[in-house]
Amino acid sequence: MTVHAAAALIAFAALQIWLVTSAIAAGAPSMLIVVALVMLLALALPIARMTERRWYHLSRQALASWGLHARFRRDVRRLWVAALTLPFLWVSGAMAATDAIAAIAR
């Protein structure tokens, strides 16, 4: 799970960076970078670490369990789906949030 969590975080960060730079190039406020980075640090890292830690402990306790393999595949699938879809949702939400903050600041 450690390899999947690390790779998913790298894919998540790369996709989020690409989306943020594309949004800023299209005219989004530069505050979007800060909001997107805070989302990454506050949400994605702890969730990936928690998933990795749980599987580390499970692998040491129940090495030969048949149900463990199915749970592992399910968690890997969820991790990758989240890593590849959440940047799209978060960047669009961050754009809306920065627009609202800019409107309040005026």
Side-chain angles (χ1 to χ4, degrees):
M1 183 57 78
T2 302
V3 172
H4 286 286
L9 279 174
I10 290 170
F12 175 85
L15 186 56
Q16 187 166 359
I17 289 169
W18 177 70
L19 288 169
V20 167
T21 55
S22 298
I24 290 174
S30 60
M31 183 67 145
L32 180 64
I33 294 171
V34 175
V35 173
L37 182 60
V38 167
M39 286 183 180
L40 172 68
L41 294 175
L43 298 172
L45 290 175
I47 290 172
R49 178 66 181 137
M50 185 174 43
T51 301
E52 188 272 333
R53 187 179 306 141
R54 182 171 58 98
W55 276 100
Y56 175 77
H57 293 299
L58 278 174
S59 68
R60 294 174 99 24
Q61 293 171 358
L63 291 176
S65 174
W66 282 99
L68 197 59
H69 183 70
R71 287 174 54 195
F72 179 79
R73 288 288 158 213
R74 183 194 68 214
D75 282 356
V76 166
R77 195 171 30 252
R78 286 180 181 172
L79 183 67
W80 279 103
V81 166
L84 298 176
T85 59
L86 287 178
F88 290 100
L89 299 173
W90 288 1
V91 169
S92 63
M95 287 177 60
T98 53
D99 288 342
I101 291 169
I104 291 170
R106 290 183 197 162

